[in-house]
Amino acid sequence: MNEIIHILHLLAATTWAGGNLFFALILLPAMARSPAAEASALFDRIGPASGLVMGVSGVLVLVTGPLRAWSGGGIPSLGALGSPYGLWVIAAFVIVVAVSGFDGAGRARLRRSFDDPSTYPTVAGGIARRTAWVTAGGMTLLILIMALLGLGLY
């Protein structure tokens, strides 16, 4: 059972992280350089599918990560959350939630910015820069934590 949870976590994490990095480092900057109407149309076209994929993969990451730590023996009880391993798992969980929340807030601001084409380039450019830094930084921290945890291999 632990192998299935491990594989599911890796698939979900790869999808979630890759999707976030693609959006933050490639798609969002391209949208910020496009006219507001064009960016809005693209956002509307990709939103439903990407929202579903990113939402499901993000939830699976948040569920399977702690489940792996418990089922694999890294955190056998709630008391073990205070161990170094447990604290790293908590840190990873917090980073995933923080990056997701920041990304969601940025997407909401971006959607509102479409309504004013005169300020859109400035607003969208700022959103793109902040999102790129937060997402790339968050993913780097997550990779470092996973390396410190031995990739969760028990």
Side-chain angles (χ1 to χ4, degrees):
M1 181 64 159
N2 199 38
E3 290 82 11
I4 293 170
I5 295 169
H6 183 79
I7 291 168
L8 185 58
H9 183 69
L10 290 177
L11 290 172
T14 303
T15 302
W16 178 79
N20 271 294
L21 287 168
F22 177 79
F23 182 77
L25 300 177
I26 297 170
L27 189 58
L28 190 53
M31 289 173 66
R33 290 188 300 270
S34 301
E38 191 178 307
S40 178
L42 177 61
F43 199 79
D44 289 341
R45 283 193 308 271
I46 66 169
S50 67
L52 177 65
V53 170
M54 295 304 292
V56 169
S57 64
V59 167
L60 284 172
V61 165
L62 288 172
V63 170
T64 59
L67 187 59
R68 283 183 59 235
W70 171 74
S71 69
I75 301 176
S77 68
L78 288 178
L81 286 173
S83 70
Y85 191 93
L87 292 173
W88 283 118
V89 170
I90 290 169
F93 190 90
V94 168
I95 292 168
V96 169
V97 170
V99 168
S100 296
F102 187 87
D103 179 59
R107 281 184 280 115
R109 284 192 315 275
L110 183 67
R111 183 171 290 288
R112 288 190 303 272
S113 75
F114 295 146
D115 296 333
D116 188 355
S118 64
T119 60
Y120 170 76
T122 303
V123 172
I127 293 168
R129 283 186 297 280
R130 286 186 299 275
T131 301
W133 279 106
V134 169
T135 300
M139 296 306 158
T140 301
L141 287 173
L142 288 170
I143 290 168
L144 291 172
I145 290 170
M146 295 305 112
L148 287 170
L149 296 178
L151 303 177
L153 299 174
Y154 306 103

